[in-house]
Amino acid sequence: MEHVLPAAGFLYWVGAGTEAYLALRISCSLLMALRLWILDHEPGVGPKLGEWAVVTGSTDGIGKSYAEQLAKCGMKIVLISRSQDKLNQVSSKIREKFKVDTKTIAVDFTSEDIYDKIKTSLAGLQIGVLVNNVGMSYEYPEYFLEIPDLNNTIKKLININVLSVCRMTRLVLPGMAGRSKGAILNISSVSGMYPVPQLTIYSATKAFVDFFSQRLHEEYKSKGIFVQSVLPFCVATKLAKIRKPTLDKPSADTFVKAAVKTVGLQSRTDGYLIHSLLGSVMSLMPSWMYFNMSMSLNKSQSSFYTIDN
Ligand SMILES: NC(=O)c1ccc[n+]([C@@H]2O[C@H](COP(=O)([O-])OP(=O)(O)OC[C@H]3O[C@@H](n4cnc5c(N)ncnc54)[C@H](OP(=O)(O)O)[C@@H]3O)[C@@H](O)[C@H]2O)c1
Ligand SMILES: *[C@@H]1O[C@H](CO)[C@@H](O)[C@H](O)[C@H]1NC(C)=O
Ligand SMILES: *[C@@H]1O[C@H](CO)[C@@H](O)[C@H](O)[C@H]1NC(C)=O
Ligand SMILES: *[C@@H]1O[C@H](CO)[C@@H](O)[C@H](O)[C@H]1NC(C)=O
Ligand SMILES: *[C@@H]1O[C@H](CO)[C@@H](O)[C@H](O)[C@H]1NC(C)=O
């Protein structure tokens, strides 16, 4: 008995200590969540970072919503996408609605020889925010070797999802560093955090974006530049092939309204309360369970990437 008692006393204090620690951790998380998602606060973006915001892939989906939200904050907007028609449409809508200047650049990010053109068009602009949004996935989940036109798909996905992030950052970061101000938002994906089988290339390119952003943030935060990696789950856009938004698959507007408020507060974010909760649940799941779930995505038709006509 005498041998057991001191041990029991010790265990008691270990238990009490652990409990206190956990309670503290949970309260901190709750307070942070309250501040982030519930309380109203100024978005961390705006003309104070620089007059212009550049958004890639900005005529549809998440990119278009970022362009609109940044214009709403009073920033002038450079829109970059492929189709000049869509660019003109979105640009005149933004000019009318938010009374800010706009500029458009029509390029295809699957090519490598577009960056001189972009550089020329951006010359002389004071750029405060860059949103690296443009990205593509495949038509449907598929085993690596079965992907149609594989050689070309590899090249395109890497150019648009990886090269564009690096080269665009290369173009605007010197100006930001010179003024010690700026924010770079890289739109990654939850599939970059948890590898998704049958979307292997997409998933891996998004992981690159996530790593790049996190390390870039560390390198440049002392120079006044905020780099954020945004890791959304499903957002109802053309890319995800989802038409009708739901609570867990919000519209691009709903998603981006929440996400811009996290700028300056979270360098890595799911961007949206429900996605953040899903992220917490997933981080508790063993990886085999997650793998099993995502392997059956294609078949179950209830997926991320099913064609819903
Ligand atoms: N939707 C989701 O569930 C989800 C989830 C996680 C992450 N994401 C990420 O969020 C980002 C945006 O996705 P989204 O769902 O908003 O996509 P989206 O609705 O398909 O919009 C894509 C935008 O990019 C432009 N674009 C497409 N290909 C291009 C190219 N080769 N060169 C230049 N511009 C191009 C399109 O305009 P043009 O056709 O005129 O070129 C359009 O403005 C992507 O990086 C994606 O990986 C999305
Ligand atoms: C996923 O579904 C598509 C069409 O629904 C099919 O063509 C493709 O082969 C499927 N992929 C796998 C890996 O089962
Ligand atoms: C793809 O590339 C490989 C090697 O680089 C080549 O052997 C193969 O023929 C190419 N496939 C097509 C369809 O071009
Ligand atoms: C965004 O991408 C740029 C360039 O690739 C990188 O420097 C930066 O760290 C990234 N930011 C985040 C948050 O991933
Ligand atoms: C997932 O697990 C279930 C039950 O254990 C099993 O029947 C199914 O084959 C698994 N699916 C995959 C894709 O491994």
Side-chain angles (χ1 to χ4, degrees), residues 168-180 184 220 225:
M168 289 305 298
T169 305
R170 167 76 187 84
L171 284 179
V172 308
L173 191 54
M176 291 181 174
R179 290 179 294 115
S180 300
I184 301 179
Y220 286 93
I225 294 162

Side-chain angles (χ1 to χ4, degrees), residues 2-24:
E2 279 129 67
H3 298 291
V4 176
L5 274 177
F10 176 70
L11 284 179
Y12 170 80
W13 286 110
V14 168
T18 310
E19 244 171 59
Y21 172 73
L22 283 180
L24 199 69

Side-chain angles (χ1 to χ4, degrees), residues 113-149:
D113 55 3
I114 54 173
Y115 295 96
D116 284 337
K117 177 176 176 183
I118 299 179
K119 184 179 175 184
T120 312
S121 309
L122 296 182
L125 303 186
Q126 190 197 66
I127 298 167
V129 176
L130 167 66
V131 186
N132 283 312
N133 163 77
V134 75
M136 67 183 273
S137 182
Y138 350 135
E139 284 298 306
Y140 49 81
E142 186 54 282
Y143 287 90
F144 182 65
L145 289 178
E146 312 302 322
I147 297 170
D149 196 11

Side-chain angles (χ1 to χ4, degrees), residues 217-237:
H217 180 68
E218 294 302 323
E219 285 177 19
Y220 286 93
K221 67 179 178 195
S222 62
K223 304 195 169 80
I225 294 162
F226 192 86
V227 182
Q228 186 185 47
S229 177
V230 186
L231 304 136
F233 282 66
C234 246
V235 179
T237 66

